[in-house]
Each structure stands twice: as structure tokens, then as C-alpha cells.
Amino acid sequence: MDIKTLLRQGSELRELLMRDHTRPGYHFICPEDNGVPGDPNAAFYANGRAHLMFLYHSAVDGFRYGHMSSADLLHWRRHPDALTPDALDAGIFSGGAFADEDGTVYISYWALGSENLDQSKNGIRIAYSRDVENDYAKWEKLPMQAVEASGNGFLTVTSEDGAVRRLAAADPSNIWKKDGVYYMQAGNLTLLNYFGRNSGDPAYSGDFTDLYRSVDLKKWEYVHRFYERNLSNCWTDESEDDMCPSFLPLPTSKEGGGASGKYLQLFISHNKGCQYYIGDYDRDNDRFLPETHGRMTWVDNAYFAPEAMLLPDGRQVMWAWINEKREQEWKRFGWSGIFGLPRTLWLREDGSLGIAPLQELKKLRLREYTSAEEIRSNHLELELEADPEASVELRVLVSEDGNHYVSVGYEPSSQELFVDTARCGEEGSHRRECAPLRVCDGRRLKLTVYVDASVVEVFANDRQAIARLCYPREKRENRVMLVKGRSVSLRGWELDYTNPY
């Protein structure tokens, strides 16, 4: 194909995408091809830039890791794909990253096998890059598997006494280093899928991870279970797996600063979405000891596949894939794969998880609005304060006739933050999602609401957040209506685009 044809087709694609009224403007979107599943992966900071991989399904050869980097966590530069399938794996699936002291960055990932390959095993592999001068554009894979699993996706070992044990060997976590030794976790979805999510066998049901270690990143040995699901506290049930794990220290504030001494284990269960544990890392025995548990999605698995990293200022920041609920989105519209806004995570004084939008997002503010009546933008940030002892309801993406909208608000009787997309449009998931939120005595309810074409995200009191997709049936200017509330103040800003088209 000649260059003129390619240029014309590229221009036609951009114009097509820009005409789509459901395409977000400042949420990260997979640049091209099929971003389903669209897990963020292998985030790391090096040489003055944040790097983020995104899982996507290439029409050329299957699942790959795309690679983006940013100096401001808002605007992303596309690099050549970091990882593509080769003779030893048929596809790249979720994993983590680690930047070593010498500047080498390592990626741990789940290598998908295929029956028609010589190496038809699902297992964990390691890739690395020393390409500092080119912002880590070139990556190489180690030729051997770090954890060599069977075609069923788990590792079977037999001890000297003849006992058989199956070990997790999927979705590796980020790598960390302690006393010169490298560690990583492996997710357990394949075990639950094989033995059954409701098998009743506590050895292979519910969420847990297995821990591996290595001195050279080539030969890895099994250590033990990194944590065990607590059967007495009912935080999770036996149907929930632990995949896409991320294990990092929690800072003491949303500005970063020093470490709190507690660690955060982010993960998903495939049936119930993103969740987390806060607890202690027993460094002497290499075990994680969960103390509290929380969720980031409550009615389905719409908030999915978390990925986190530490910034130089000590902040922990995370992304997640907002799971599309629109049928055949990529085939019909030419794009898919949306990440939620970057969230800052820290340990609050009461031991709970602090959650807030990344402060850099304020740099996107353009025109300011001081009342709901002024607002006419589909790419918007709103700040609302109200008396938490009265019900609050704010409607966004409101149609001209008022019949179609998304509701955001707070119910004091149940102490719940909510986002309701039931009346937004004909497509997508029409759900009312409620998250627990207790507003401390004497405090105001403070909501930050982001509207971005088909995305609505709400953050509340640095304690809670909900992210959902919705699809307005027609192109329209976003109207905002305050339906319920007492002692309310509201202002907003039109936000600039970060996606090039």
C-alpha cells in the first residue's frame, strides 16, 4: 500500500473517531485496534517519565503490550509495542514491572500457551529493557519461563512424601526486591477455574496468591502462599479469585511523603471486580497479613484490572480498566479500551484507604462555571459541597427533554454514595451502583464529579469513588441539574482534551 493511501486512511480514521459523541476526551483510550480486554499493566517510573503498558488484542498476532509514557501523567506518548507473541508464547497477558537500581526495568507477565506451539504451556515469563536513552523503547524476553505451568495454567508439584500440590502460575504481580532477592506473586484464577469456584475445597477456593523468589530473575523457586483468605471475616467468598495483583507500600498522605508502614494489595476477582487489602508485610517470613478489606466496584465488575506504581514524591497512583458493557464496541465504533482516571491512594489516619483524583488533573481546567444553568460541556469537572444529613442528587448528561440522564449523589439514611445509569441511554449497563460512605460528624459532603462523553466518575471526601460507563443515545450538550440537596455549593470547569482524537 502506498504512502498516500495510508495517509488518507489515517485521516479518515481520525475524523471518524472525532465524530463519535461517546468517545472520551481526557480518559486514556487504547490508541488503536481492539482494547478488550484493556488491562493497564507494568507501570513504572524511570528517567523522568511514567511508563504504562496497555493490554490489547492486535489483529496481526493476538494479545500484546502497548507502551505509553508521560512526563505529566496526563498526555501520553506512544512507543513501539513492548511485548508481542513469539515462538514460546501465543499471547501476552497481565503482569507488573520493576525498575532496578542499575536502571534496568523488568516486566513479569502471563505468557499464554497454544496447543499448536512446541511450548504449549501457560506460565510466567520475564522481559527486560536497558534502553534508557530511548525511553525503554526496546525490550527483550528471557528465553525461559520463570514459572513453567501446565496447559491448565497452574503448576503441579509432588513432595518427597508423595503429596501433590497445585500452585498458582497466572497474572504475576509487580516484582519487588528485598536483601538482594527478587519476589513476585502469582494469581490463582486458573486453579479456581479447574477445581471449581464453589468446590468447597479451602485449599483451592477463594482469593489467595502464591509467592516465588529468585536471585537472578531467571530461575525462580516457590516459597509459599503469600496470604490466605480469612474465613472468619466474610470479606470475600470462595467464588472470588485474586488476579492482577499489585503490592506496594502506602504513603501517609495524598501528597506522598513518607511510607506509612502498611502495604496495599490491589487485585480483582473476575466475577466481582477491583478490590484491595491493607495490612502488614512480614518481611522476616515473607507473608502479607491483611487487616482490612475494601472494594472499588459493588454491583458488577465494571471497574477492573488495577495497576499501580510509586512516583518519586512517594505517591501511589493507580489506573483500572472501565469494563465496556456495549456489545461489540470495537467492531461497531472502531475503538475500545478506556482507563479510569488516575487515582492517588494513601493510608488515612483512621486506617482506611484514602482515594482522590490525581491533583495534576486540575491542569486541564478551562472555562469555569459557577452555576448548573451555565454548563454546556461533555468534558467536565464538577465540585459540589452539601449538608450530608440530607439527600443529594445531581443529574449530568441530561437530555433537552429531561428524560435521559445519569444520577450522582448521596443517601444519608444508608450512608451510600451512588451513580445511577438506568436512564442514560439504550446501550450499556443500566445499573445503580452504591458504595459505602460515612461522612464524619461536622464535615461537609464533598463530591468531585468527572463527565467525559461516556464516562462518569465521582470521588467523595477523599474516601470513596465510583466509575461507570454510560452511552447517551444521541449527541447532545451536557446539561446539569441539581435535584436534591441542602446548603449546596456547586461550581465546574470545562476540561481540555488529552487524547489526540
Side-chain angles (χ1 to χ4, degrees), residues 27 263 339 476:
H27 280 75
Y263 278 72
F339 289 1
R476 59 174 180 256

Side-chain angles (χ1 to χ4, degrees), residues 348-350 385-390 410 437-446 461-463 486-487:
R348 297 177 60 91
E349 291 183 358
D350 61 4
E385 290 192 22
D387 182 348
E389 296 183 359
Y410 177 71
L437 174 66
R438 184 178 66 85
V439 181
C440 299
D441 293 342
R443 300 288 181 89
R444 298 266 287 171
L445 174 69
K446 297 181 179 180
N461 284 62
D462 285 353
R463 289 181 175 273
R486 186 169 66 199
S487 184

Side-chain angles (χ1 to χ4, degrees), residues 382-398:
L382 298 169
E383 284 189 354
L384 180 149
E385 290 192 22
D387 182 348
E389 296 183 359
S391 298
V392 176
E393 181 183 354
L394 182 70
R395 293 178 182 175
V396 298
L397 292 172
V398 182

